[in-house]
Amino acid sequence: MTERHILRIHFHLPDTSDADVYERLVEQLHGISPRTQALPPADADCDVTGALRYYGRTPYELAQLIQLRALALYGIATTIGSAGNRMLAAMAADATAPGGISHLDNSPEAIAGFLRPRPIGALYGVGPATANLLARHGLHTIGTAADTPPGTLQRLLGKTHGRLLHERARGIDDRSVVPQATARSCSADHVFDRDELDPDRHRQALLGLTEHLGTILRTERQIVRRLTLTVRYADRTATVRTRTLTEPTHHTAALTRAAYDIYATLGLQRARVRGIALRAEDLQPAERATTQLTFDPGDDKRRRIEAAADKARARFGPAAVIPATTAIPGTPGPCRSYE
DNA sequence: TCTGGGGTCCTAGGACCC
DNA sequence: TCTGGGGTCCTAGGACCC
């Protein structure tokens, strides 16, 4: 593989900043290299391999240019790590003082010098649980993990994690920067004003969520194959249930039936519910939908109403049509996630 | 610096089929 | 006819990133 040059950019966004400031900053990066992947809410990865030649600059100089632009145009400070792959760039950024730039040379010596002395928990993919487990086996630094045979790591962590840990401890990370990644999932949630015990109000909230998700999915021409319901309780615990749909869909009626179904399997008895979230997972292009075999005339009518409502929303805005039964203050917040 | 929550990936185990 | 191993699909839950 030819040598790559990756930047991890962290924007120091004030809490009060507009949501679209971040989007405009990412747009700026696109101008420097189209191979830019947004990592909301405040980061981005930028593959500048091709941009180096175009601009005739080193990675460090490009990082300076990015810092200058963000500061001059938006008054936003940035911290940037520069390295030969995404993991090293992210780790370099982590090890950099706010507002600084770190460039990690791509030589094996420089990479080993950077990685080996660091605590194992500093490695990408190693959280507190894994770090603890490894420490119990005497592996405290990234260097010791790099020297451990892959088979040993795999016995400790499982096949995939063991292999990845061994590669990463040696500075290897093949993940590419994926611009414009398509959404993997899409979710909506509802928080009750006070802990809610009434199942009717739970279902009412669910209806608002399926209505909302259905609208997003139809707008984006996607269908969903899996639904996950999360119910949060007053004691801060939660129940999570996933259901694979018999047929991928983006129709609100089908989503509502599935959501009510999952809700019913919980068998809640006077549970103090704080909030309900619904996630549409395993999204696919709507063109892939199999032919609808349902000839329920009620469904057909609901879909015509749904199509009319979508049109009204497109013309007059999202609040134009709201199901009469969803008398819920506040609109559920959409949340798109990108890989 | 710490915390929390949303999103993603992985694994284990069960059900089912061949 | 019975058994068992290997796929595949699905769900719950754990772990991690940000």
Side-chain angles (χ1 to χ4, degrees), chain A residues 96-154:
Chain A
T96 306
I101 299 172
S102 291
H103 174 72
L104 177 58
D105 195 78
N106 224 354
S107 72
E109 297 77 22
I111 292 170
F114 174 75
L115 284 180
R116 292 189 59 92
R118 302 186 110 70
I120 189 71
L123 193 63
Y124 179 80
V126 178
T130 307
N132 263 325
L133 175 72
L134 294 172
R136 284 205 300 276
H137 289 83
L139 302 176
H140 298 281
T141 63
I142 296 178
T144 56
D147 295 338
T148 302
T152 305
L153 297 176
Q154 288 183 321

Side-chain angles (χ1 to χ4, degrees), chain A residues 254-287:
Chain A
L255 294 174
T256 307
R257 273 197 299 269
Y260 282 6
D261 226 42
I262 306 173
Y263 175 80
T265 65
L266 297 182
L268 298 185
Q269 304 281 343
R270 310 258 324 146
R272 302 167 61 82
V273 172
R274 183 152 294 177
I276 294 181
L278 199 62
R279 167 190 311 287
E281 297 171 333
D282 208 343
L283 303 184
Q284 304 168 355
E287 304 82 64

Side-chain angles (χ1 to χ4, degrees), chain A residues 81-98:
Chain A
S82 158
N85 63 46
R86 296 185 64 185
M87 174 189 77
L88 291 171
M91 290 179 69
D94 275 350
T96 306

Side-chain angles (χ1 to χ4, degrees), chain A residues 15-289:
Chain A
D15 292 339
T16 54
S17 80
D18 256 323
D20 59 37
V21 168
Y22 172 72
E23 278 179 31
R24 275 184 264 151
L25 286 162
V26 172
E27 202 51 41
Q28 273 293 313
L29 294 179
H30 271 284
I32 286 174
S33 166
R35 299 189 61 80
T36 293
Q37 180 172 345
L39 303 169
D43 294 75
D45 275 353
C46 197
D47 184 335
V48 295
T49 310
L52 295 178
R53 190 147 31 111
Y54 180 82
Y55 283 88
R57 299 187 193 222
T58 64
Y60 190 88
E61 289 167 342
L62 268 189
Q64 284 181 312
L65 178 64
I66 289 168
Q67 279 196 335
L68 269 172
R69 286 191 180 178
L71 199 58
L73 297 170
Y74 303 101
I76 300 293
T78 52
T79 303
I80 301 181
S82 158
N85 63 46
R86 296 185 64 185
M87 174 189 77
L88 291 171
M91 290 179 69
D94 275 350
T96 306
I101 299 172
S102 291
H103 174 72
L104 177 58
D105 195 78
N106 224 354
S107 72
E109 297 77 22
I111 292 170
F114 174 75
L115 284 180
R116 292 189 59 92
R118 302 186 110 70
I120 189 71
L123 193 63
Y124 179 80
V126 178
T130 307
N132 263 325
L133 175 72
L134 294 172
R136 284 205 300 276
H137 289 83
L139 302 176
H140 298 281
T141 63
I142 296 178
T144 56
D147 295 338
T148 302
T152 305
L153 297 176
Q154 288 183 321
R155 276 193 294 281
L156 288 176
L157 302 173
K159 216 169 131 193
T160 309
H161 277 136
R163 180 179 56 80
L164 284 175
L165 175 70
H166 190 252
E167 287 179 1
R168 287 168 176 168
R170 300 165 99 86
I172 299 167
D173 175 21
D174 289 335
R175 292 172 306 146
S176 55
V177 176
V178 186
Q180 304 284 3
T182 51
R184 294 291 188 86
S185 70
C186 141
S187 72
D189 70 298
H190 177 86
V191 179
F192 293 103
D193 292 336
R194 51 185 164 74
D195 298 340
E196 185 57 68
L197 286 77
D198 183 357
D200 285 339
R201 310 231 3 130
H202 297 162
R203 274 188 289 267
Q204 215 171 56
L206 269 180
L207 178 57
L209 298 179
T210 55
E211 176 76 20
H212 185 71
L213 285 181
T215 306
I216 291 177
L217 291 170
R218 293 191 298 278
T219 305
E220 315 244 324
R221 301 186 183 286
Q222 287 184 306
I223 50 175
V224 53
R225 219 174 76 86
R226 243 179 18 233
L227 267 190
T228 293
L229 173 70
T230 303
V231 177
R232 297 193 182 286
Y233 307 103
D235 64 359
R236 307 177 73 81
T237 60
T239 309
V240 183
R241 287 292 176 274
T242 300
R243 168 78 49 97
T244 300
L245 305 180
T246 47
E247 185 176 44
T249 187
H250 54 196
H251 294 298
T252 298
L255 294 174
T256 307
R257 273 197 299 269
Y260 282 6
D261 226 42
I262 306 173
Y263 175 80
T265 65
L266 297 182
L268 298 185
Q269 304 281 343
R270 310 258 324 146
R272 302 167 61 82
V273 172
R274 183 152 294 177
I276 294 181
L278 199 62
R279 167 190 311 287
E281 297 171 333
D282 208 343
L283 303 184
Q284 304 168 355
E287 304 82 64
R288 210 180 291 172

